[in-house]
């Protein structure tokens, strides 16, 4: 979300080992350097509290639906309803975000999500909750997310500026994954001890923190970004902008495949806990917590790395899909649980690397629309994938559903990696380096030159 290249000077795809240009990345002075900025620090602290509540609600919501219906398909429908608005209206949300001031827009969306959480808490604690209430609440949260997600993505650049963008995006992910460590653990205790309603209540109240942080920010310290004027054809303009840039379109296509088929963890993990290992809500919470440990490690590594190269994105996506296939056939609870850690590492690496690479290659005036498209295909693919994966899981078992999602993710990553290598003028190079085999992509001209000199 930094001040990226203009519409007529898009950077070349970062698909090989050459040093990244300033347009692709800027290095931070330390792993936590963006927290020195007051406005971002307020935002970060508010999100710590809110994200914890969000994860508590996700765990409680999935378990409540499974308890009410006994169906993995119903869990998939709940997940689909939460992400369906992004699929239907995500691009229009991006157009709105490019026109609106980000901070007031976030105040509205965060308040709306707080009200939804409190309403679900009241229904559950009063004993009147029904599965359609959960469906409706999930859809309402999804509607708020249509604007909230691209607004939050774009607002980071206004808080930290271009120099700290990579670091801030990575720390946002670390923030989210840290909450993922605490949220499921607390949710598991509350669900087994006093019931799901208290998790919903905590989530509703947790939005006080980010709302207070937004109100306490100093407007004069924000980086000014010119908003897009109201006009016709802005949605079409955004799509045309992305389609003309390989460094944007192919990472978005990849996260679309992975988001649709590889990130259906609410469906799979609840089925593994309940049906495969017969271990209950505690195991479901454990799976999510261990995955969060891996995701947190992946986010901190991304913050330290300071670059967003597409070769890292492809490699992480291949590893992510392969690990899902391996985990699908894990014979024991403890081995399956341990595999959640590397799955979390590589899944988060895919998300952060794609997010940062796309933002840093996008013109600021187009960022809302581009990030809305990014989030639409990443999150909006879930309404298509979750019910299908839920049906496969119910019909053929959790192992088949999980393995299929990993296989599709892996094949998509390999295919798009080959496409990007061709677009970037690269060839596969196989050789030896200090006595060890090395496989990498090198510029086509370099390989041809080596062949001539040989």
């Amino acid at each position: 979300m930094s001040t990226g290249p203009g519409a007529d000077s898009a950077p070349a795809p970062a698909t090989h080992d050459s040093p990244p240009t300033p347009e692709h990345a800027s290095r931070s002075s330390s792993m936590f350097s963006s927290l020195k900025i007051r406005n971002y620090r307020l935002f970060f602290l508010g999100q710590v509290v809110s994200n914890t509540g969000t994860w508590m609600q996700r765990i409680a919501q999935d378990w409540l639906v499974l308890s009410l219906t006994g169906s993995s398909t119903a869990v998939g429908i709940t997940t689909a309803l939460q992400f369906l608005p992004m699929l239907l209206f995500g691009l229009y949300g991006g157009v709105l975000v490019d026109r609106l001031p980000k901070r007031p827009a976030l105040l509205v969306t965060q308040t709306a999500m707080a009200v939804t959480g409190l309403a679900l808490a009241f229904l559950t604690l009063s004993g009147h909750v029904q599965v359609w209430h959960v469906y409706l609440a999930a859809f309402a949260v999804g509607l708020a997310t249509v604007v909230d997600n691209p607004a939050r993505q774009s607002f980071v650049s206004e808080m930290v500026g271009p120099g700290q963008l990579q670091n801030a995006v990575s720390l946002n992910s670390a923030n989210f994954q840290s909450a993922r460590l605490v949220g499921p653990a607390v949710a598991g205790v509350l669900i087994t001890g006093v019931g799901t309603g208290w998790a919903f209540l905590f989530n509703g109240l947790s939005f006080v923190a980010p709302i207070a942080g937004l109100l306490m920010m100093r407007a004069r310290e924000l980086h000014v970004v010119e908003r897009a004027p109201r006009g016709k054809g802005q949605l079409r303009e955004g799509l045309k902008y992305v389609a003309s840039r390989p460094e944007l379109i192919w990472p978005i296509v990849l996260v679309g495949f992975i988001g649709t088929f590889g990130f259906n963890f609410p469906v799979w993990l609840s089925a593994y806990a309940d049906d495969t290992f017969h271990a209950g809500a505690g195991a479901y919470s454990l799976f999510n917590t261990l995955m969060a440990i891996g995701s947190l490690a992946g986010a901190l590594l991304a913050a330290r790395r300071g670059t967003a190269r597409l070769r890292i994105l492809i490699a992480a996506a291949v590893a992510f899909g392969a690990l899902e296939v391996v985990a699908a056939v894990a014979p024991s609870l403890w081995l399956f649980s341990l595999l959640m850690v590397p799955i979390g590492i590589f899944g988060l690496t895919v998300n952060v690397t794609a997010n940062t690479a796309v933002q840093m290659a996008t013109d600021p005036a187009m960022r809302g629309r581009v990030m809305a498209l990014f989030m639409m295909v990443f999150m909006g693919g879930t309404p298509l994938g979750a019910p299908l994966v839920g049906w496969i899981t119910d019909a053929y078992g959790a192992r088949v559903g999980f393995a299929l999602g990993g296989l599709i993710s892996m094949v998509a990553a390999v295919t798009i990696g080959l496409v990007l290598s061709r677009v970037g003028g690269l060839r596969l190079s196989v050789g030896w380096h200090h006595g060890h085999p090395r496989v990498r992509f090198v510029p086509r001209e370099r390989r041809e030159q080596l062949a001539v000199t040989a």
Side-chain angles (χ1 to χ4, degrees), residues 48 52 55-56 176-188 202 285 289 292:
V48 167
T52 301
W55 274 109
M56 291 176 65
F176 189 70
Q177 301 306 328
S178 298
R180 191 177 177 183
L181 286 172
V182 178
V186 176
F202 183 92
S285 178
T289 299

Side-chain angles (χ1 to χ4, degrees), residues 149-429:
N149 231 311
R152 277 190 296 108
Q153 299 282 338
S154 302
F155 190 50
V156 173
S157 67
E158 295 187 21
M159 289 184 285
V160 304
Q164 297 292 342
L165 177 63
Q166 163 75 14
N167 183 260
V169 170
S170 299
L171 289 183
N172 278 351
S173 296
N175 183 330
F176 189 70
Q177 301 306 328
S178 298
R180 191 177 177 183
L181 286 172
V182 178
V186 176
V189 172
L190 289 177
I191 291 170
T192 56
V194 294
T196 56
W198 294 98
F200 298 139
L201 179 61
F202 183 92
N203 178 56
L205 296 176
S206 72
F207 284 96
V208 171
I211 291 171
L214 288 167
L215 293 173
M216 293 170 62
M217 288 182 183
R218 296 170 181 165
R220 65 180 181 275
E221 295 179 7
L222 295 173
H223 293 255
V224 178
V225 174
E226 184 178 354
R227 298 199 298 272
R230 186 179 181 88
K232 294 182 179 180
Q234 290 178 321
L235 178 57
R236 184 169 57 253
E237 179 187 10
L239 293 174
K240 184 178 179 181
Y241 177 84
V242 172
S244 65
R245 287 161 171 77
E247 72 275 16
L248 297 180
I249 186 63
W250 289 113
I252 290 175
V253 170
L254 177 58
V255 299
F257 272 100
I258 291 179
T260 300
F261 299 104
F263 269 79
N264 290 286
F265 295 110
V267 177
W268 293 321
L269 299 187
S270 60
Y272 266 87
D274 194 44
D275 299 327
T276 305
F277 297 121
H278 308 289
Y284 182 49
S285 178
L286 174 65
F287 297 156
N288 281 278
T289 299
L290 289 172
M291 187 178 293
I293 291 174
S295 299
L296 176 60
L300 292 177
L301 288 171
R304 185 174 184 178
R305 187 166 58 243
T307 59
R309 294 178 177 175
L310 296 185
R311 65 181 176 85
I312 296 175
L313 170 63
I314 299 300
V318 172
F320 172 78
L323 283 166
E324 285 196 337
V325 174
V326 172
V329 297
S332 62
L333 173 65
W334 68 266
L335 181 58
F336 182 84
S337 300
L338 289 177
L339 285 169
M340 293 300 102
V341 177
I343 286 174
I345 291 175
F346 287 107
L348 196 283
T349 301
V350 170
N351 192 4
V352 169
T353 306
N355 187 312
T356 307
V358 168
Q359 289 190 56
M360 298 183 82
T362 301
D363 189 284
M366 304 292 295
R367 190 165 289 126
R369 280 164 282 182
V370 172
M371 293 313 299
L373 178 61
F374 179 91
M375 298 309 299
M376 186 191 76
V377 299
F378 182 62
M379 300 172 60
T382 303
L384 303 177
L388 175 62
V389 167
W391 175 79
I392 293 173
T393 300
D394 280 338
Y396 301 101
R399 295 189 186 279
V400 173
F402 203 10
L404 183 62
L407 183 63
I408 292 174
S409 299
M410 185 168 54
V411 170
V414 171
T415 302
I416 291 172
L418 293 174
V419 171
L420 282 172
S421 68
R422 189 171 185 83
V423 170
L426 305 179
R427 290 181 181 271
L428 185 66
S429 173

